[in-house]
Amino acid sequence: MTTRRELLAALRRAVGDGAVVWRPEDLAAYEFDGTVERAVPHAVVLPSTAEEVRAAVRACLDLGVPITPRGAGTGLSGGAVPLRRGVVISTARMRRIIEIDPADRVAVVEPGVANLELSRQAARYGLFYPPDPSSQAACTIGGNVAENAGGPHCLALGVTQNFVLGIEVVTAGGDIRWLGGRSPDPFGFDLRGAFIGSEGTLGIATKVAVRLLPVPPAVVTLLAAFPEVAQACEAVSSIIARGIIPSAMEMMDRLCIEAVEAGFRVGYPEGAGAVLLVELDGLEGEVQAESARVRAECLERGATEVRVAASEEERALLWKGRKGAIPALGRLAPNYYIVDGVVPRSRLAAVMERVAAVSARSGLRIANVFHAGDGNLHPLILFDEREPGAGERVLATAAEVMRVCVEEGGTLSGEHGIGAEKREFMPWLFGKEDLATMARLREVFGADGGLFNPCKVFPGGTGCGEMGSRAAAVRAAGPDAYV
Amino acid sequence: MTTRRELLAALRRAVGDGAVVWRPEDLAAYEFDGTVERAVPHAVVLPSTAEEVRAAVRACLDLGVPITPRGAGTGLSGGAVPLRRGVVISTARMRRIIEIDPADRVAVVEPGVANLELSRQAARYGLFYPPDPSSQAACTIGGNVAENAGGPHCLALGVTQNFVLGIEVVTAGGDIRWLGGRSPDPFGFDLRGAFIGSEGTLGIATKVAVRLLPVPPAVVTLLAAFPEVAQACEAVSSIIARGIIPSAMEMMDRLCIEAVEAGFRVGYPEGAGAVLLVELDGLEGEVQAESARVRAECLERGATEVRVAASEEERALLWKGRKGAIPALGRLAPNYYIVDGVVPRSRLAAVMERVAAVSARSGLRIANVFHAGDGNLHPLILFDEREPGAGERVLATAAEVMRVCVEEGGTLSGEHGIGAEKREFMPWLFGKEDLATMARLREVFGADGGLFNPCKVFPGGTGCGEMGSRAAAVRAAGPDAYV
């Protein structure tokens, strides 16, 4: 058994004194990623280079200490929570934009670069990085790679998987490798593709080469208000059925609209059962034509009002409501738990009805704000963690919602990953042998010791405890219980 | 050592008498996939179900006999050639379209379904399957998965990787597994992504779930003729720089235009140094607006003529030239060898110049027809295999062209894969350890015995022989030399 003192000494040798966090009050900042799971690491390492990441990984492997990689900690599925404690390796200091090449439309960045910062810097060349999670001001490219992150504008353009060309990683076995490269068209075995979305279980990205796209010359943003969610869902399907693929198509339900209005006064129509935010981009003439068609389609499906943003300010205001929707729900309850599921677009209306029924049965309010065009739901379960048993009730309710998604032909995650809390649901969709084949991928990256981001993605696992009671058990263990 | 008789008996037990091909005259049809490598298998199996594929794979593994999967044999990189002989497993009898779901826009097909056949059947619902290799009338969805196939219309929409949701495979270890599923948004470890483009080295696809897209309501096809290739390359870059992403942007050089005109009389402008075929699709108004801009851009870059197809017939004729370009080159020489490389779009003009220099030095004529928008080159080296040493000269010239692509920041394959002949070039782009990490992926799929599509993708390998001399050695070995 390694002592805490030995661990800290080894980490200091690996990355230097100034890159090791060890005071309990500092470590507390790394216990949480916005879900119900919490666990405090024994130490946090803040490397500045790939070589330092490798040195830290090797030090932990040598001592048999678990490693949990962390980007900005905005994943909302427990992926960055060190459930078996040990060492968190944070990429927060690796935030250089190494290169932006406007001719090839490629950027090479370190993993700690914030998503929005990349688009800001690329804007100087008229370019942007399309995947845009709502947390884009904070979340990092490295974290986006780990979660295969999406965002409102991924409907037409695709998710992280479609924009990452190559990744330099420190593997779970402690080696530096390039997966893919700077050019499009992967060839050979596509380990780049397999690494994206592996939720920090296979290694840590240390450089990421991404594709950029030109900022579209014209953008139109529309807001349509509907009496009922079902009508808004039908409008989504019928817009897409007409051959229009908006750059974004986002929906909010009544509870969400109320929270946003109370928080930001963005002017969403009062009393609406649902609003649909639709964005179209392209050349001036074409977006005007499409905008007229989207408007007509919404009115035909029962919209009571369709508003087109007349200026960049109005556009920003409409989006402010959407991007701030999740924080705004903090006004309705002290805590929320986000469920991330995907269903076939054609099943959206039926699924929303079933989610409402789950909410009624559980006694917990559920607000909905989501990427409607993709069928990527985000039911938000509102609760107060100070109520006894609240955590367990929330997790049970979330499990019911996930079950609905799977029963309606959907899957367990659109963009937040499986993380800690959904891994017990993996057998709903994958057979035991399929899971075993998948898990063998860890060996390719040298993760055979089970020390690399343990208790994530796959069900079971030694020392991971049981769903729900896990967080409490780890909390009860205290900061010095074991390394 | 297994005898041929024992092998045939085992295969018959696995799949039944009627699914085993063994007569030398029948086996000859499986020795070739359009490149210079040839090798006759000892037997060919034609299974009808995933269970039969599994039984055949297990029979071969038990006997230690190499297995080479085969789709339609149109890959043009040697991937389907049984270089260590043994058994070819063909998916030719697995050609059921299991399901087309217009609401979710998903189709589930068996691997032997021809690419174009899927789009034809989907057309009944106003849908199509976007990746469209030039061989689409023959090539199969299973083969497309193996090669991560692209095509002219992949510029705006993406390649096979972007359209395959899930794959049922018989792994190289002889198990049936699902990778991914019917829904978008892969989660968990993305073995689906890793399998696509693995060139038949990890297993055999037995069912494929794909995304379909709506047939666009309006299409405009333009043909622009330029005095020089360099001007056409500049037009490609400047069209994309203006924010227009055509659905296709294909280029042909002088030699290619001559061959096409001699073969089909499609009316390509006489004496042009290059033609650019540009297709735009979307809503009526927007394609008209974009078409005007593309036309203006081409004229500005020196086009001597820009022709817009005025009818569906004219459009089909313009495409007939492109889709038939490679066969048409058969009029200029008895054999051709296709090189498949990718370069940054900004380097296209420079690369074309260097390819012309390679052609001049080698004394072999090189025609160019390619996906210009993607920077995916297809220099076609014309030769006569009856001339002594022709094969070696062609391979050496192809190697020089590949070297140019890599030196200009490109890669080794856009859509035909690495196969047999380009595997020796892999170290130009990947370090030894990167290749070793990649190769370990085979173990995930149980391919540890080295029997599954041996001598492909990775350099070296026991019993694979040397580049160039390999084909001759295998030919010399004769049909019964060893199993």
Side-chain angles (χ1 to χ4, degrees):
Chain A
M1 191 70 85
T2 308
T3 67
R4 185 188 170 88
R5 181 187 300 265
E6 284 165 353
L7 173 61
L8 292 176
L11 294 175
R12 287 183 184 121
R13 279 194 302 277
V15 296
D17 209 20
V20 179
V21 176
W22 57 275
R23 288 193 184 83
E25 61 272 29
D26 296 332
L27 293 176
Y30 297 89
E31 69 164 356
F32 190 51
D33 76 349
T35 175
V36 300
E37 306 272 358
R38 286 172 200 262
V40 182
H42 290 102
V44 174
V45 175
L46 294 159
S48 298
T49 64
E51 288 69 27
E52 286 184 6
V53 172
R54 176 171 57 184
V57 166
R58 288 188 170 178
C60 293
L61 293 179
D62 285 349
L63 296 172
V65 171
I67 298 160
T68 303
R70 186 178 179 94
T74 56
L76 297 173
S77 73
V81 178
L83 287 176
R84 286 187 56 213
R85 310 205 58 209
V87 173
V88 163
I89 299 183
S90 161
T91 55
R93 288 192 186 163
M94 300 174 75
R95 45 199 320 144
R96 271 194 316 143
I97 293 179
I98 298 166
E99 177 193 3
I100 295 180
D101 178 337
D104 290 345
R105 293 187 183 156
V106 168
V108 181
V109 303
E110 289 186 338
V113 170
N115 175 295
L116 190 58
E117 181 60 18
L118 173 55
S119 282
R120 271 207 197 108
Q121 296 300 327
R124 290 189 285 159
Y125 307 98
L127 300 171
F128 77 116
Y129 177 66
D132 59 340
S134 296
S135 58
Q136 69 181 138
C139 70
T140 61
I141 299 297
N144 292 175
V145 166
E147 303 300 327
N148 191 17
H153 286 87
C154 291
L155 171 56
L157 298 172
V159 295
T160 303
Q161 185 70 261
N162 304 109
F163 289 92
V164 170
L165 301 169
I167 320 168
E168 182 195 70
V169 304
V170 171
T171 66
D175 296 308
I176 297 179
R177 297 278 181 272
W178 263 99
L179 316 174
R182 242 195 67 142
S183 329
D185 297 303
F187 62 97
F189 289 173
D190 189 16
L191 290 183
R192 174 206 62 86
F195 187 87
I196 296 169
S198 63
E199 307 190 25
T201 60
L202 301 179
I204 300 180
T206 48
K207 285 192 192 73
V208 187
V210 300
R211 279 201 304 140
L212 303 172
L213 288 187
V215 176
V219 178
V220 170
T221 306
L222 300 92
L223 184 88
F226 295 84
E228 302 297 338
V229 165
Q231 296 163 308
C233 292
E234 281 163 22
V236 168
S237 284
S238 70
I239 288 166
I240 289 185
R242 303 226 166 243
I244 301 173
I245 301 187
S247 54
M249 194 144 46
E250 300 284 306
M251 199 186 299
M252 280 174 274
D253 72 357
R254 188 184 308 274
L255 198 53
C256 204
I257 298 167
E258 284 171 20
V260 164
E261 274 307 302
F264 305 115
R265 308 219 170 281
V266 297
Y268 284 175
E270 214 173 309
V275 296
L276 196 59
L277 193 61
V278 181
E279 193 156 281
L280 301 157
D281 64 31
L283 302 177
E284 186 63 35
E286 73 188 48
V287 296
Q288 294 304 339
E290 286 189 342
S291 161
R293 290 167 58 111
V294 167
R295 184 191 168 83
E297 208 59 52
C298 288
L299 291 170
E300 187 153 320
R301 297 291 162 173
T304 51
E305 182 184 347
V306 181
R307 201 184 288 171
V308 180
S311 65
E312 187 51 40
E313 291 66 42
E314 280 188 35
R315 190 184 153 234
L317 198 61
L318 292 181
W319 272 108
K320 188 179 174 190
R322 168 60 187 93
K323 297 239 169 184
I326 294 180
L329 289 164
R331 301 180 69 93
L332 302 184
N335 303 90
Y336 62 83
Y337 181 85
I338 191 167
V339 185
D340 170 35
V342 179
V343 298
R345 206 161 38 226
S346 58
R347 303 301 302 153
L348 262 184
V351 168
M352 294 301 292
E353 207 169 294
R354 292 186 64 184
V355 169
V358 169
S359 167
R361 267 203 307 281
S362 70
L364 291 164
R365 286 187 297 172
I366 299 183
N368 287 282
V369 45
F370 61 99
H371 312 312
D374 294 319
N376 184 189
L377 300 178
H378 286 327
L380 286 130
I381 304 172
L382 307 181
F383 69 106
D384 181 345
E385 68 175 351
R386 294 161 304 186
E387 287 177 11
E392 283 70 14
R393 275 171 62 217
V394 166
L395 290 176
T397 305
E400 271 195 77
V401 171
M402 289 308 325
R403 190 80 220 179
V404 167
C405 291
V406 171
E407 283 172 9
E408 297 285 351
T411 64
L412 298 173
S413 170
E415 56 192 12
H416 293 277
I418 298 302
E421 284 147 9
K422 290 197 285 191
R423 62 207 189 90
E424 306 299 338
F425 312 151
M426 289 285 274
W428 295 351
L429 283 170
F430 295 103
K432 200 171 162 177
E433 290 175 334
D434 292 327
L435 285 172
T437 301
M438 226 188 254
R440 279 218 295 274
L441 188 60
R442 291 194 183 213
E443 293 160 25
V444 173
F445 291 86
D448 9 31
L451 292 174
F452 218 83
N453 208 4
C455 311
K456 308 293 163 64
V457 185
F458 294 97
T462 324
C464 299
E466 285 306 306
M467 187 71 181
S469 63
R470 197 156 55 220
V474 171
R475 261 197 303 271
D480 260 308
Y482 63 97
V483 171
Chain B
M1 189 70 82
T2 308
T3 66
R4 185 188 171 88
R5 181 189 298 265
E6 283 166 353
L7 173 62
L8 292 176
L11 294 175
R12 287 183 183 122
R13 278 194 301 275
V15 297
D17 208 21
V20 180
V21 176
W22 57 274
R23 287 193 184 83
E25 62 272 29
D26 296 333
L27 293 176
Y30 297 89
E31 69 164 355
F32 191 49
D33 76 351
T35 175
V36 300
E37 305 273 357
R38 286 172 198 261
V40 182
H42 290 103
V44 175
V45 175
L46 293 160
S48 297
T49 64
E51 288 68 28
E52 286 184 5
V53 172
R54 176 171 56 186
V57 167
R58 288 188 171 176
C60 292
L61 293 179
D62 285 348
L63 296 173
V65 171
I67 299 160
T68 303
R70 185 179 179 96
T74 56
L76 297 174
S77 72
V81 178
L83 288 178
R84 287 187 54 214
R85 310 204 58 207
V87 173
V88 163
I89 300 183
S90 161
T91 56
R93 287 191 186 164
M94 301 174 75
R95 44 198 320 144
R96 270 193 319 142
I97 293 180
I98 298 165
E99 179 193 1
I100 294 179
D101 178 337
D104 290 345
R105 293 186 182 157
V106 169
V108 182
V109 304
E110 289 186 337
V113 170
N115 175 296
L116 189 59
E117 181 61 17
L118 173 55
S119 282
R120 271 209 195 108
Q121 296 300 326
R124 290 190 286 159
Y125 307 98
L127 300 171
F128 77 116
Y129 177 65
D132 59 339
S134 295
S135 58
Q136 69 181 137
C139 70
T140 61
I141 299 297
N144 293 176
V145 167
E147 303 300 327
N148 191 18
H153 286 85
C154 291
L155 170 58
L157 297 171
V159 295
T160 302
Q161 185 70 264
N162 304 109
F163 288 92
V164 170
L165 301 168
I167 319 168
E168 182 193 73
V169 305
V170 171
T171 66
D175 296 308
I176 297 179
R177 298 278 181 270
W178 263 99
L179 315 175
R182 243 196 66 141
S183 327
D185 297 303
F187 62 97
F189 290 170
D190 189 16
L191 290 183
R192 172 206 62 86
F195 187 86
I196 296 169
S198 63
E199 308 189 24
T201 60
L202 302 178
I204 300 179
T206 49
K207 286 191 191 73
V208 187
V210 300
R211 282 200 302 139
L212 303 172
L213 288 187
V215 176
V219 178
V220 170
T221 306
L222 300 92
L223 183 88
F226 295 84
E228 301 297 337
V229 165
Q231 295 162 309
C233 292
E234 280 163 23
V236 168
S237 285
S238 70
I239 288 167
I240 290 185
R242 305 228 165 241
I244 301 173
I245 301 187
S247 54
M249 195 145 45
E250 300 284 305
M251 200 186 298
M252 279 174 274
D253 71 358
R254 189 184 306 272
L255 198 52
C256 205
I257 298 166
E258 285 171 17
V260 165
E261 276 305 302
F264 305 115
R265 309 221 168 279
V266 297
Y268 284 176
E270 213 174 311
V275 297
L276 196 59
L277 192 62
V278 181
E279 193 155 282
L280 300 157
D281 64 30
L283 302 176
E284 185 63 36
E286 73 189 47
V287 295
Q288 294 304 340
E290 285 189 343
S291 159
R293 289 168 57 111
V294 167
R295 184 191 169 83
E297 208 58 53
C298 288
L299 291 171
E300 186 154 321
R301 297 291 161 175
T304 50
E305 181 185 347
V306 181
R307 199 183 290 171
V308 180
S311 65
E312 188 51 40
E313 290 67 42
E314 279 188 34
R315 191 184 151 233
L317 198 61
L318 292 182
W319 272 109
K320 188 179 175 191
R322 166 63 186 90
K323 298 239 170 186
I326 294 180
L329 289 165
R331 300 181 70 93
L332 302 185
N335 302 91
Y336 61 84
Y337 181 85
I338 191 167
V339 184
D340 170 35
V342 179
V343 298
R345 207 162 35 228
S346 58
R347 304 300 303 153
L348 262 184
V351 168
M352 293 302 292
E353 207 169 294
R354 291 186 63 183
V355 169
V358 169
S359 167
R361 266 203 307 281
S362 70
L364 291 164
R365 284 187 298 171
I366 299 184
N368 287 282
V369 44
F370 61 101
H371 313 313
D374 294 320
N376 184 188
L377 299 178
H378 285 328
L380 286 130
I381 304 173
L382 306 182
F383 70 106
D384 181 346
E385 67 175 352
R386 294 162 303 186
E387 287 176 12
E392 284 70 15
R393 276 171 62 215
V394 166
L395 291 175
T397 305
E400 270 195 78
V401 172
M402 290 308 324
R403 189 81 219 180
V404 166
C405 290
V406 171
E407 283 172 7
E408 297 285 349
T411 63
L412 298 173
S413 170
E415 56 191 13
H416 292 278
I418 299 302
E421 284 147 10
K422 290 198 284 191
R423 61 206 189 89
E424 306 299 338
F425 312 151
M426 290 286 273
W428 295 350
L429 282 169
F430 295 105
K432 199 172 165 176
E433 290 175 333
D434 292 328
L435 285 172
T437 302
M438 224 188 253
R440 280 219 292 275
L441 188 61
R442 292 194 182 213
E443 293 162 24
V444 172
F445 291 86
D448 9 32
L451 291 174
F452 217 84
N453 208 3
C455 311
K456 308 293 162 66
V457 185
F458 293 99
T462 323
C464 297
E466 286 306 308
M467 186 74 180
S469 63
R470 199 154 55 218
V474 170
R475 260 197 303 270
D480 260 305
Y482 64 97
V483 170

